[in-house]
Amino acid sequence: DGLLDLSTLIEFLPLEQSLPMNLMDSGSAACTAPLASTTCMGSIVPSGIAGLAALLSTGQCLAPIAGTVFPYTPAVTNSSAPCFSSPVGTFVLDFFGSPLLLHDAQIAATFVDSPATNLVNGLIKGFLTEADANNTILSASLPLFGGQALSALLPGGDPPGLNNTNCSAHNDKDINAEVSGWWFYLNFTATRVALIEFLFSDGFE
């Protein structure tokens, strides 16, 4: 359809890299392909992460929680200075048409240039509960796993019903605030884009 399959926007209100805090929000919008020349249209659909972001000139803004990352390759990339980290909130991730609600989520990234033109070492962290993973049924059109609970794909997952044995040889479940589930860590890069907003009217002049 000429649009990127998944577009997450981070909006600074405004971006002032010399300040220790910036107001920000985040969400999704319809963004054109290809990524190199993308523009994003319409109003942002909020993701749930908004508020005051912390900006650091030294150090690290966000990294995985110790003991929650199986040694996958490539490893999760940390967000280091000059960088920002969002406040904690909820983040809605579109997973092949299924919305995933990630709790205790944060977004962080490293600024490129000042004022920033790009973000690198981007990291989205969030916790998916086992209950939500069991209740999220993947689209029937998804090859191999269509119609199954998302937990059938996650190491250690044990969805209810038949065929509930996960094929992974290890268990990657964690505990967050006494709730069982999985920490998700999503690395990304981003470029500055133009947001084109439309105002619709139900009448004519």
Side-chain angles (χ1 to χ4, degrees), residues 136-149:
T136 299
I137 306 302
L138 299 174
S139 170
S141 63
L142 191 65
L144 299 178
F145 298 100
Q148 296 188 50

Side-chain angles (χ1 to χ4, degrees), residues 12-23 53 55 111 114-116:
F12 292 94
L13 306 164
L15 176 61
E16 296 287 353
Q17 289 167 249
S18 61
L19 299 179
M21 307 288 282
N22 276 199
L23 185 63
L55 277 64
F111 292 117
S114 182

Side-chain angles (χ1 to χ4, degrees), residues 22-41:
N22 276 199
L23 185 63
M24 64 157 287
D25 62 15
S26 61
S28 60
C31 298
T32 60
L35 179 61
S37 59
T38 189
T39 57
C40 298
M41 298 170 289

Side-chain angles (χ1 to χ4, degrees), residues 94-172:
D94 185 337
F95 184 79
F96 295 101
S98 299
L100 302 186
L101 182 61
L102 302 182
H103 301 270
D104 295 328
Q106 278 186 284
I107 303 174
T110 299
F111 292 117
V112 177
D113 296 327
S114 182
T117 57
N118 294 276
L119 299 176
V120 295
N121 303 326
L123 179 59
I124 299 173
K125 177 192 78 170
F127 187 79
L128 177 70
T129 69
E130 185 171 13
D132 284 348
N134 286 338
N135 292 326
T136 299
I137 306 302
L138 299 174
S139 170
S141 63
L142 191 65
L144 299 178
F145 298 100
Q148 296 188 50
L150 174 61
S151 51
L153 302 182
L154 302 175
D158 185 24
L162 300 175
N163 301 319
N164 62 348
T165 302
N166 187 283
C167 64
S168 178
H170 70 281
N171 186 338
D172 214 13

Side-chain angles (χ1 to χ4, degrees), residues 48-85:
I49 295 182
L52 287 173
L55 277 64
L56 297 182
S57 57
T58 60
Q60 193 165 262
C61 282
L62 190 62
I65 299 170
T68 66
V69 179
F70 190 81
Y72 293 107
T73 301
V76 176
T77 300
N78 303 337
S79 298
S80 55
C83 56
F84 77 92
S85 60

